[in-house]
Amino acid sequence: MQADQLARGTAYNGQIRVYAAVSTALVQELQRRHQLWPVATAALGRTVTVTAMMGLMQDEGKVKVQIKGDGALGYIVADADAAGHARGYVHQPHVDRPLNEQGKLDVAGAIGSGFLYVFKDFGAGEPYRSSVPLVSGEIGEDFTYYFTVSEQTPSAVGVGVLVNPDLSVQASGGWIVQRMPGADEEVITQVIERVSRLPAVSSMVAEGLSAEQLLAQVVGPEGQVRVHQVVPLSFACSCSRERVENMLRGLGRDELQTILREQGSAEVTCQFCNERYVFERGEIERLLEDLNRP
Ligand code: ZN
């Protein structure tokens, strides 16, 4: 299996920008940590894969995406940084739905109708926030709409996850092509024609294509892709015992005393990675002593 990677490049002499991701191991890790059922694996996997490519679009900071639909999955949250670290979770990981009319996992049916929210933190300056209504709930089309309408960058997005019968992930990946200002109409027509005939990205990943090879495949030989950057993509969560301890301290004395009295210990589970942090009675008492100190 090829390593998880993100790649970005340009084509047609800089008239087109293109991004690609191979995210099989990342989505497998999400499946394992959150015990995702197949439609949740596909929905979260697609969302995290596009979010990871959006992370690469920035030089610094983080991108956070939320998809809130009225379907059985509830909401999906994903975030990623510019260095290829990504994570995410879905509100209801155990959703079972019949396959759709095309015989595929019914992601749109499990998400329902709602909104796609994007928050960008550039490390400095004002963060960016935007939202668009979901156009199909299939994720790829929703991001296409988001880039085109909200970021005013005409784009096409392909993203997909192949789930094995044993719930493991066979292949996962994605691509984004974007029109640069001043691009020739002829080039745009060629690109649209090309991407409309592309095989599913998950099949291309299953055949062994790397992120760099996906870039070339998406724009075709006429595009003469130039690869600008390839970075490893991996699961990473920023939670730690220290952070949880600070959070507990932030609850204040009264709240900690209530926890001690009613539960005797505190258990905190990180939503993003499902890591469990347990603070026993003695540790909470020590936190209380710290807080009592002037
Ligand atoms: Zn975590």
Side-chain angles (χ1 to χ4, degrees), residues 65-92:
V65 167
Q66 284 181 13
I67 292 178
K68 286 187 182 160
D70 59 5
L73 289 172
Y75 52 87
I76 297 172
V77 180
D79 71 23
D81 65 17
H85 302 122
R87 58 181 188 165
Y89 63 92
V90 50
H91 183 228
Q92 294 293 347

Side-chain angles (χ1 to χ4, degrees), residues 6-247:
L6 295 170
R8 68 183 175 92
T10 49
Y12 291 97
N13 285 316
Q15 297 184 70
I16 296 292
R17 196 157 54 182
V18 58
Y19 299 86
V22 169
S23 54
T24 311
L26 166 63
V27 178
Q28 177 66 77
E29 178 74 11
L30 295 170
Q31 191 280 329
R32 186 188 68 79
R33 284 185 175 266
H34 299 294
Q35 295 294 300
L36 303 171
W37 289 7
V39 76
T41 306
L44 179 59
R46 290 180 197 178
T47 307
V48 172
T49 301
V50 178
T51 305
M53 289 187 280
M54 291 173 74
L56 192 68
M57 290 176 186
Q58 309 193 177
D59 294 326
E60 266 186 82
K62 266 197 160 198
V63 176
K64 181 173 179 182
V65 167
Q66 284 181 13
I67 292 178
K68 286 187 182 160
D70 59 5
L73 289 172
Y75 52 87
I76 297 172
V77 180
D79 71 23
D81 65 17
H85 302 122
R87 58 181 188 165
Y89 63 92
V90 50
H91 183 228
Q92 294 293 347
H94 300 157
V95 168
D96 197 14
R97 280 187 69 86
L99 299 177
N100 65 19
E101 283 166 13
Q102 289 83 43
K104 301 224 165 106
L105 291 167
D106 187 13
V107 171
I111 287 180
S113 51
F115 288 85
L116 166 68
Y117 300 85
V118 174
F119 308 88
K120 293 185 188 181
D121 160 10
F122 301 101
E126 276 293 292
Y128 166 95
R129 286 159 197 274
S130 180
S131 65
V132 290
L134 296 172
V135 288
S136 78
E138 288 288 351
I139 315 275
E141 286 162 5
D142 302 301
F143 277 104
T144 296
Y145 184 74
Y146 162 77
F147 287 123
T148 306
V149 171
S150 214
E151 296 198 4
Q152 283 152 28
T153 308
S155 306
V157 179
V159 63
V161 178
L162 275 180
V163 182
N164 291 315
D166 69 357
L167 307 188
S168 66
V169 177
Q170 191 192 336
S172 173
W175 51 262
I176 301 170
V177 280
Q178 297 191 318
R179 170 189 191 151
M180 300 292 274
D184 292 343
E185 285 310 318
E186 208 179 299
V187 165
I188 302 308
T189 312
Q190 251 179 303
V191 172
I192 292 171
E193 166 72 5
R194 171 85 192 174
V195 300
S196 65
R197 285 184 289 111
L198 276 180
V201 62
S202 51
S203 324
M204 295 194 278
V205 173
E207 281 165 20
L209 262 64
S210 67
E212 200 175 329
Q213 290 168 325
L214 280 176
L215 292 182
Q217 204 52 238
V218 169
V219 296
E222 323 74 56
Q224 299 195 345
V225 75
R226 277 190 54 208
V227 179
H228 294 274
Q229 196 186 7
V230 179
V231 297
L233 169 63
S234 62
F235 174 87
C237 192
S238 51
C239 69
S240 66
R241 196 165 175 87
E242 197 184 349
R243 282 195 174 201
V244 175
E245 190 178 303
N246 285 335
M247 189 272 287

